[in-house]
Amino acid sequence: SLLVEPMRTNLIPYSEDFSQWSTSGSPTLTYNATTSPDGDTNAAELLSTTSTTRILFNLGTLSAGDYTQSVFVKYKNADVRMNFKNNAFGGDNTFNITTGGVTVDAASSPTNIEDIGNGWYKLSITYTSDGTSGSYSQIFGDLDTTYASYYLWGASLEVGSYPTSYIPTDGGTVTRV
């Protein structure tokens, strides 16, 4: 079958290397913790130490328009209530990652949850940039308890009002034509 999608660019230069992201709330990140959707052992584990534990990537000032952020997540060994958001333009969405799957707990912007198999889910949020404010992609740990974790892999930010297939990056933006 043919995959036909529009041209898109992943604006997050380190989509799989979360060691290049900033941290807040003293998270514990374990790299290469489990097998990711691409079949390699390169997914990270994010362990909360406080309810504000998070990793974040400075996106700078984005041009005005619609953007969709995505990340892949997987249940580890305890139910987790996590937050995936953009700090400047809404996109403040909370998800429940459980042994039974992923559900939306609360959303301030459009969301999409895609079951991609083997316990992995692609979470996406869409928001509109005003073209003047600085912006961060933020992935929070467990908002309810501390010392609970989940797996994550493959972050992306693309211009557009819906997610497309994953575009990996390693130190720069990448465009799929």
Side-chain angles (χ1 to χ4, degrees):
S1 69
L2 226 15
L3 174 64
V4 180
E5 293 183 307
M7 183 173 78
R8 290 283 179 93
T9 300
N10 186 351
L11 300 174
I12 294 181
Y14 297 98
S15 63
E16 298 170 20
D17 185 0
F18 295 107
S19 70
Q20 299 297 319
W21 292 46
S22 300
T23 62
S24 181
S26 302
T28 300
L29 281 165
T30 304
Y31 305 103
N32 306 319
T34 194
T35 304
S36 72
D38 75 355
D40 292 331
T41 304
N42 59 355
E45 177 186 344
L46 175 60
L47 173 65
S48 287
T49 55
T50 70
S51 63
T52 59
T53 293
R54 65 188 178 277
I55 60 172
L56 53 153
F57 197 87
N58 185 348
L59 301 168
T61 301
L62 301 171
S63 299
D66 290 337
Y67 290 83
T68 299
Q69 290 186 80
S70 300
V71 69
F72 294 84
V73 299
K74 183 176 182 175
Y75 174 85
K76 184 182 179 215
N77 57 10
D79 291 354
V80 172
R81 190 170 154 261
M82 62 86 71
N83 182 275
F84 179 47
K85 75 178 199 171
N86 178 284
N87 67 305
F89 311 109
D92 189 0
N93 296 276
T94 305
F95 298 89
N96 296 310
I97 303 170
T98 68
T99 187
V102 177
T103 58
V104 175
D105 184 61
S108 67
S109 63
T111 63
N112 186 57
I113 301 172
E114 180 183 358
D115 182 346
I116 62 162
N118 198 28
W120 284 98
Y121 292 83
K122 182 179 181 181
L123 309 182
S124 302
I125 61 172
T126 300
Y127 57 86
T128 302
S129 168
D130 63 11
T132 62
S133 302
S135 178
Y136 287 88
S137 176
Q138 299 185 82
I139 303 170
F140 285 74
D142 189 350
L143 301 179
D144 289 334
T145 62
T146 57
Y147 303 105
S149 61
Y150 59 93
Y151 300 114
L152 67 152
W153 177 83
S156 66
L157 174 71
E158 52 191 316
V159 177
S161 60
Y162 60 91
T164 63
S165 60
Y166 174 60
I167 304 167
T169 63
D170 188 20
T173 62
V174 173
T175 300
R176 180 192 56 243
V177 292

Coordinates of all heavy atoms in Angstrom, one line a residue, residues 68-73 82 84 95 97 102-103 111-114 121-125 163:
T68 N 1.1 20.8 15.4 CA 0.7 19.6 16.0 C 2.0 19.0 16.7 O 3.0 18.7 16.0 CB 0.1 18.6 15.1 OG1 -1.1 19.2 14.5 CG2 -0.3 17.3 15.8
Q69 N 1.9 18.7 18.0 CA 3.0 18.1 18.7 C 2.6 16.6 18.9 O 1.4 16.3 19.2 CB 3.2 18.7 20.1 CG 3.8 20.1 20.1 CD 4.1 20.6 21.5 OE1 5.1 20.2 22.1 NE2 3.2 21.4 22.0
S70 N 3.6 15.7 18.9 CA 3.3 14.3 19.1 C 4.4 13.7 19.9 O 5.6 14.2 19.9 CB 3.2 13.6 17.8 OG 2.1 14.1 17.0
V71 N 4.1 12.6 20.6 CA 5.1 11.8 21.3 C 4.5 10.4 21.5 O 3.3 10.2 21.6 CB 5.5 12.4 22.7 CG1 4.3 12.3 23.7 CG2 6.7 11.7 23.2
F72 N 5.3 9.4 21.5 CA 4.9 8.0 21.7 C 5.1 7.7 23.1 O 6.2 8.0 23.7 CB 5.7 7.1 20.8 CG 5.5 7.2 19.3 CD1 6.2 8.2 18.6 CD2 4.6 6.4 18.7 CE1 6.0 8.4 17.3 CE2 4.4 6.6 17.3 CZ 5.1 7.6 16.6
V73 N 4.2 7.0 23.8 CA 4.2 6.6 25.2 C 3.8 5.1 25.3 O 3.1 4.6 24.5 CB 3.4 7.5 26.1 CG1 3.8 8.9 26.1 CG2 1.9 7.3 25.8
M82 N -0.1 11.7 33.0 CA 0.9 12.5 32.5 C 0.3 13.7 31.7 O -0.8 13.7 31.3 CB 1.9 11.7 31.6 CG 1.3 11.1 30.3 SD 1.2 12.1 28.8 CE 2.9 12.3 28.3
F84 N 1.1 16.5 28.5 CA 1.9 16.8 27.3 C 1.4 18.1 26.8 O 0.2 18.2 26.5 CB 1.7 15.7 26.3 CG 2.4 15.9 25.0 CD1 3.8 16.2 25.0 CD2 1.8 15.6 23.8 CE1 4.4 16.4 23.8 CE2 2.5 15.8 22.6 CZ 3.8 16.1 22.6
F95 N -3.2 13.0 30.1 CA -3.6 11.6 29.6 C -3.3 10.6 30.7 O -2.5 10.8 31.6 CB -2.7 11.2 28.4 CG -2.8 12.1 27.2 CD1 -2.0 13.2 27.0 CD2 -3.8 11.8 26.2 CE1 -2.2 14.0 25.9 CE2 -3.9 12.6 25.1 CZ -3.1 13.7 25.0
I97 N -2.1 6.9 31.3 CA -1.5 5.8 30.7 C -1.6 4.6 31.7 O -1.1 4.6 32.8 CB 0.0 6.1 30.5 CG1 0.2 7.3 29.7 CG2 0.7 4.9 29.9 CD1 1.7 7.8 29.6
V102 N -4.4 4.1 26.8 CA -4.3 5.5 27.1 C -5.6 6.2 26.8 O -6.2 6.0 25.8 CB -3.1 6.2 26.2 CG1 -3.0 7.6 26.5 CG2 -1.8 5.5 26.5
T103 N -6.0 7.1 27.7 CA -7.2 7.9 27.6 C -6.9 9.3 27.9 O -6.0 9.6 28.6 CB -8.3 7.4 28.5 OG1 -7.9 7.4 29.9 CG2 -8.8 5.9 28.1
T111 N -7.0 16.7 20.6 CA -6.1 15.7 20.9 C -6.3 14.5 19.9 O -7.4 14.4 19.3 CB -6.2 15.1 22.3 OG1 -7.5 14.6 22.4 CG2 -6.0 16.2 23.3
N112 N -5.3 13.6 19.8 CA -5.5 12.4 19.0 C -4.6 11.3 19.7 O -3.5 11.6 20.2 CB -4.9 12.6 17.6 CG -5.2 11.4 16.7 OD1 -6.3 11.0 16.6 ND2 -4.1 10.9 16.2
I113 N -5.2 10.2 19.9 CA -4.5 9.0 20.5 C -4.6 7.9 19.5 O -5.7 7.5 19.1 CB -5.2 8.5 21.8 CG1 -5.2 9.7 22.9 CG2 -4.5 7.3 22.4 CD1 -6.0 9.3 24.1
E114 N -3.4 7.4 19.1 CA -3.4 6.3 18.1 C -2.7 5.1 18.7 O -1.5 5.2 19.1 CB -2.6 6.8 16.9 CG -2.5 5.8 15.8 CD -1.7 6.3 14.6 OE1 -1.2 7.5 14.6 OE2 -1.5 5.5 13.7
Y121 N 1.5 4.0 22.2 CA 0.4 4.9 21.7 C 1.1 6.2 21.3 O 2.0 6.7 21.9 CB -0.6 5.3 22.8 CG -1.4 4.1 23.2 CD1 -0.9 3.1 24.1 CD2 -2.7 3.9 22.7 CE1 -1.7 2.0 24.4 CE2 -3.4 2.8 23.0 CZ -2.9 1.8 23.9 OH -3.7 0.7 24.2
K122 N 0.6 6.8 20.2 CA 1.1 8.1 19.7 C 0.0 9.1 20.2 O -1.1 9.1 19.8 CB 1.2 8.1 18.2 CG 1.7 9.4 17.7 CD 1.8 9.4 16.1 CE 2.4 10.7 15.6 NZ 2.5 10.7 14.1
L123 N 0.5 10.1 21.0 CA -0.3 11.1 21.6 C 0.0 12.4 20.8 O 1.1 12.8 20.6 CB -0.1 11.4 23.0 CG -0.1 10.2 24.0 CD1 0.2 10.6 25.4 CD2 -1.4 9.4 23.8
S124 N -1.1 13.1 20.3 CA -0.9 14.3 19.6 C -1.8 15.4 20.1 O -2.9 15.1 20.5 CB -1.1 14.1 18.1 OG -0.3 13.1 17.6
I125 N -1.3 16.7 20.1 CA -2.1 17.8 20.4 C -1.9 18.9 19.4 O -0.8 19.0 18.8 CB -1.8 18.4 21.8 CG1 -0.3 18.9 21.9 CG2 -2.1 17.4 22.9 CD1 0.0 19.6 23.2
P163 N -1.7 15.3 13.0 CA -0.5 14.6 13.0 C -0.3 13.8 11.7 O -1.3 13.3 11.1 CB -0.5 13.7 14.2 CG -2.0 13.4 14.4 CD -2.7 14.7 13.9

